[in-house]
Amino acid sequence: MAFDSLAAFIAMEGHGPYVWTCYGVFVLLLGGLVYWSLRQRRQVIAAQRRELSRATASGMAASQNAPAASFTRVKVSQD
Amino acid sequence: MTSDTRAGWRPVTESVGSVRAMKALFLRDLKTAFRQRQDLLNPLLFFIMVVTLFPLGVSPEVSFLQQAGSGILWVAALLSVLLSLDHLFRHDYDDGTLEQLVLQPQPLFLLVLAKVAAHWVLTGLPLVLLAPILGIMVHLDGNSIGVLCLTLLIGTPVLSLIGAIGAALTLGLRSAGVLLSLLIIPLYIPVLIFGTGTVAAAGEGAPVSGYVALMGAFLVLAVTLAPFASAAALRISLSNA
Amino acid sequence: MWQLFHKLGSPKWFFGIANRLMPWLLLGGVALLFAGLIWGLAFAPQDYLQGNSYRIIFIHVPSAFLAQSVYIMMAVAAAVTLVWRMKLADVFVKSVAPVGAVLTFLALFTGAVWGKPTWGTWWIWDARLTSMLILLFLYFGVIALGAAISDEKSSARAVAVLVLVGVVNIPIIKYSVEWWNTLHQPATFKLTEKPSMPAEMWVPLLLSVLGLYLIFGWFACLRMQTEILIRERRTRWVKELVLAGRS
C-alpha cells in the first residue's frame, strides 16, 4: 500500500481531484457504452419479436383471402 | 467474347488512348466550367472574404498579421477548395455523364486524374495567383509571399486530389457538403502544417528547399494513390444509385 | 483453410462463437482491469517527478493504446471487406467504430486532466494529444459516412475505402504533427516516456491494457451480434433465435 490512510488515498496529496475525475469519467463512459449496447440489442430483439408475431398473425389471416399486395410498411432500422 | 465482336470493339479503344481521353475530358471540363463563370468566381470571392475576416475579427496590427498571415491564407485557401469540391463530380453525376465515364475502356483512375487536374486549374491555380495580393494585404514580406505561392502551388493540387476521394464518397448523399468537410479536413492537416511551416521557416530566414521537397513528396504520393481511391469510391457511389 | 475462411464469413457461425466467448472475455477483462487499476491506484509507488497524478497513466495509456489499435483493426477489416466482400468484416467496422471513438475521447480527456497538474494547463498542443484529436475526427468521419449511406452494400464499401484512406494518412499525420510541434515549441515534457519504469509500475499498466483489450473484445462481440440480428432478420435462424427468446 502506497498510502497511510484512506484519507490520504482519496486526497493523493492534492492530485486527488484530477485522478478521481479521470477514473470517474472512464468508468462512466465505459458503463454508458455497456448500457447503450445492451439496450440497443434488447430493443432490436423486441422489435423483431413484435414484427414476427404480427407477421404470423397476419399470415394466418392472409391465408384465408390472400391479397395480391399488402401496404404494410416494412420497418427498416437505420443502424 | 467471340472474335468478331472483339474485332468490332477493338478499333474504338485503340483510336482513343488513355492520354487522349484524359486530354479530351480535361478540356471538356474546362469548357463546361467556363459556361458558368459565376461558379468559378465564387470560391475566389470566398477566399478573399475569409482573409478579410481575420484583420477585422482578430487584429489589424501589422505584427499579428505578419505572424499569422501565411496561416490565414492557407486556411482560407483550404476552405475554398473544400467548398468547391462539391461541384467536382456533381454535375456529371446529375446528368449521367459519370456513369458513361465509369463504363469507358480507359482506366477510371486516369479519367479521375484528368477531372481533378481540371478542377485544380479552375480553383487551385486562381487561388495561387490571387495569393500575392492578399499576402501584401496581410503585410507578408516579399520572400514569404514567394514561398507562400510556391507552397500553395504544390499544396493545392494535393488538396484537390484528396478532396476528390471525399467528393466521390459523398456523391448523391443528402447532406453531402457538410459530410464531405467532416471526412476530408482531418486528411488535409499534414498539407496545412507543412504549407504554413514552410512559410514560417522562410520568414525566419531558414532554407526551405527541404520542406518544399517534402511537400513535393506529398504531391507525388497523392497523385499516385488518391486517384485509385477516388475511382473506387466513384464505382461504389454509382452502384448505390 | 478456405473452409475456415468461409465459416468466418458466416454470421450464424460467428453468433454462436461469440455467445460462447463473451462471458470469458467479460470476466477476464473486468478481472484484469480491476487488478491493474487497484494495483496502480493504491499499491504502485509514487512517481518521483509527478507525484500521484501519474496514476492516471493506468487508464490513459490503455485507452490511447486501444484507440489506435482499434483503428488498425478496422483497417484490416476494411481491406477484407473490399477484397473478399466478407459481410462480417463490415459488421465489425460498423459496430466497433463508436467504441473506438469513445476510447479516443477517453485518452484525450485523461490526457487533458493529467496535463493540468503536470503542465499547469488543461490543454497543450502536444504532438500526442493533437494527433489523438485528429484520430477522433477520423472516427467521427467513419461513423458519419456509415450513417449517411442507407444501402448496406455500398455503405460497407464506402466506409472501407474511407478507413483505408485514413490508415494511410495516420503515419503522415503523426509525423507532420510531431514536426509541427517541435517547430512551435521547444521539447516539452513527454507524457509517457520514462527512462525506465520500475516493475511495480509497468506490470499493473500491462494488466490494465490486457484487461481493456478483453473488454473491447466483449464489446465487439456484443455489438456485432446486434448488427447481425438487424441485418439477418429475414433469415430463418435469426427468426427462430428471436422467437426462442434466447440471448
Side-chain angles (χ1 to χ4, degrees):
Chain A
M1 193 75 180
F3 298 95
D4 303 330
S5 65
L6 187 68
F9 180 55
I10 303 280
M12 294 216 163
E13 291 172 7
H15 290 313
Y18 304 113
V19 175
W20 295 117
T21 317
C22 279
Y23 279 78
V25 169
F26 180 76
V27 170
L28 206 74
L29 276 188
L30 281 191
L33 199 59
V34 170
Y35 173 74
W36 178 48
S37 304
L38 286 175
R39 201 187 62 156
Q40 198 178 20
R41 180 199 173 96
R42 261 205 316 278
Q43 280 174 345
V44 164
I45 291 176
Q48 263 159 254
R49 197 171 288 155
R50 268 201 307 280
E51 199 176 306
L52 280 180
S53 59
R54 204 180 318 139
T56 47
S58 66
M60 273 171 212
S63 59
Q64 273 134 33
N65 55 345
S70 88
F71 290 98
T72 340
R73 176 169 290 179
V74 179
K75 224 180 166 187
V76 180
S77 166
Q78 292 295 312
D79 265 70
Chain B
M1 200 177 278
T2 56
S3 60
D4 53 350
T5 56
R6 187 160 209 159
W9 183 65
R10 203 175 226 163
V12 182
T13 55
E14 282 185 357
S15 65
V16 183
S18 297
V19 177
R20 268 187 66 188
M22 283 169 75
K23 198 174 148 199
L25 186 60
F26 177 76
L27 292 174
R28 170 194 163 274
D29 271 17
L30 291 189
K31 251 184 242 159
T32 49
F34 274 110
R35 283 193 201 126
Q36 293 162 318
R37 294 208 183 95
Q38 191 59 39
D39 280 1
L40 289 180
L41 217 53
N42 285 346
L44 293 178
L45 292 175
F46 179 81
F47 179 54
I48 298 168
M49 286 178 192
V50 170
V51 171
T52 314
L53 288 182
F54 280 86
L56 293 174
V58 190
S59 159
E61 269 174 47
V62 176
S63 61
F64 163 75
L65 287 176
Q66 262 174 345
Q67 208 194 347
S70 62
I72 293 169
L73 281 170
W74 249 100
V75 170
L78 190 151
L79 290 177
S80 24
V81 170
L82 204 56
L83 211 68
S84 66
L85 281 172
D86 201 36
H87 285 293
L88 180 50
F89 298 118
R90 176 73 58 193
H91 293 309
D92 286 354
Y93 178 73
D94 287 342
D95 66 13
T97 315
L98 208 55
E99 277 175 58
Q100 300 299 317
L101 277 187
V102 171
L103 295 176
Q104 292 308 304
Q106 290 85 13
L108 183 58
F109 71 92
L110 287 177
L111 301 179
V112 169
L113 196 60
K115 278 193 80 67
V116 174
H119 174 260
W120 177 73
V121 168
L122 293 169
T123 56
L125 194 57
L127 290 180
V128 177
L129 297 177
L130 212 58
I133 301 168
L134 290 166
I136 291 170
M137 285 167 72
V138 295
H139 305 292
L140 289 178
D141 60 71
N143 182 32
S144 293
I145 290 178
V147 175
L148 176 72
C149 287
L150 186 63
T151 58
L152 281 173
L153 194 65
I154 305 172
T156 44
V158 182
L159 299 183
S160 293
L161 283 161
I162 299 175
I165 304 172
L169 280 175
T170 53
L171 208 55
L173 298 181
R174 266 176 290 110
S175 53
V178 185
L179 188 62
L180 173 63
S181 318
L182 207 70
L183 302 185
I184 290 306
I185 286 177
L187 305 178
Y188 275 177
I189 286 169
V191 189
L192 176 71
I193 286 176
F194 276 95
T196 53
T198 309
V199 184
E204 289 162 11
V208 292
S209 56
Y211 303 146
V212 172
L214 219 95
M215 291 199 70
F218 281 170
L219 179 58
V220 170
L221 203 68
V223 167
T224 44
L225 292 182
F228 286 102
S230 305
L234 274 185
R235 285 219 165 83
I236 294 163
S237 290
L238 285 172
S239 71
N240 188 14
Chain C
M1 171 63 205
W2 279 107
Q3 209 174 358
L4 180 76
F5 202 74
H6 257 84
K7 258 190 170 172
L8 273 173
S10 144
K12 186 185 175 185
W13 177 84
F14 172 80
F15 203 95
I17 286 286
N19 259 349
R20 260 185 287 167
L21 271 177
M22 275 164 65
W24 299 108
L25 286 173
L26 188 63
L27 209 72
V30 170
L32 281 176
L33 191 65
F34 256 91
L37 292 189
I38 288 174
W39 188 346
L41 268 176
F43 297 96
Q46 222 182 76
D47 186 71
Y48 67 100
L49 246 178
Q50 304 181 30
N52 281 316
S53 69
Y54 97 94
R55 292 182 201 278
I56 294 172
I57 202 174
F58 300 109
I59 48 176
H60 176 76
V61 165
S63 308
F65 200 77
L66 256 287
Q68 290 174 358
S69 51
V70 167
Y71 201 93
I72 305 291
M73 287 187 235
M74 276 166 57
V76 173
V80 172
T81 307
L82 284 182
V83 176
W84 289 293
R85 309 275 160 95
M86 194 194 268
K87 273 197 234 163
L88 212 51
D90 171 56
V91 171
F92 177 79
V93 174
K94 291 268 171 62
S95 346
V96 139
V99 184
V102 167
L103 288 167
T104 314
F105 175 79
L106 273 173
L108 273 176
F109 182 85
T110 52
V113 174
W114 191 0
K116 184 66 184 165
T118 41
W119 297 325
T121 167
W122 295 108
W123 183 264
I124 262 189
W125 290 92
D126 162 77
R128 285 155 188 256
L129 282 178
T130 311
S131 42
M132 235 24 201
L133 186 64
I134 298 167
L135 184 67
L136 186 63
F137 294 162
L138 289 176
Y139 272 120
F140 284 154
V142 169
I143 295 170
L145 186 67
I149 308 177
S150 48
D151 180 66
E152 191 183 291
K153 240 182 219 157
S154 45
S155 161
R157 292 169 60 206
V159 167
V161 168
L162 182 67
V163 171
L164 284 180
V165 170
V167 91
V168 169
N169 268 277
I170 279 179
I172 300 176
I173 290 172
K174 260 197 120 117
Y175 170 71
S176 52
V177 167
E178 256 157 44
W179 180 81
W180 158 82
N181 193 53
T182 51
L183 183 83
H184 280 255
Q185 53 194 49
T188 45
F189 175 73
K190 282 268 169 65
L191 206 58
T192 47
E193 264 174 28
K194 286 281 165 55
S196 64
M197 218 184 214
E200 295 92 347
M201 286 185 188
W202 68 256
V203 171
L205 189 57
L206 188 69
L207 287 184
S208 45
V209 168
L210 285 178
L212 200 59
Y213 244 107
L214 293 185
I215 289 177
F216 165 75
W218 179 79
F219 269 121
C221 285
L222 176 71
R223 297 179 57 82
M224 282 173 80
Q225 280 192 333
T226 311
E227 185 76 23
I228 287 171
L229 284 178
I230 296 171
R231 292 192 188 190
E232 307 278 308
R233 66 184 178 283
R234 303 261 175 270
T235 61
R236 177 188 273 269
W237 71 271
V238 168
K239 283 181 184 168
E240 279 168 2
L241 197 83
V242 168
L243 285 179
R246 243 176 36 75
S247 70

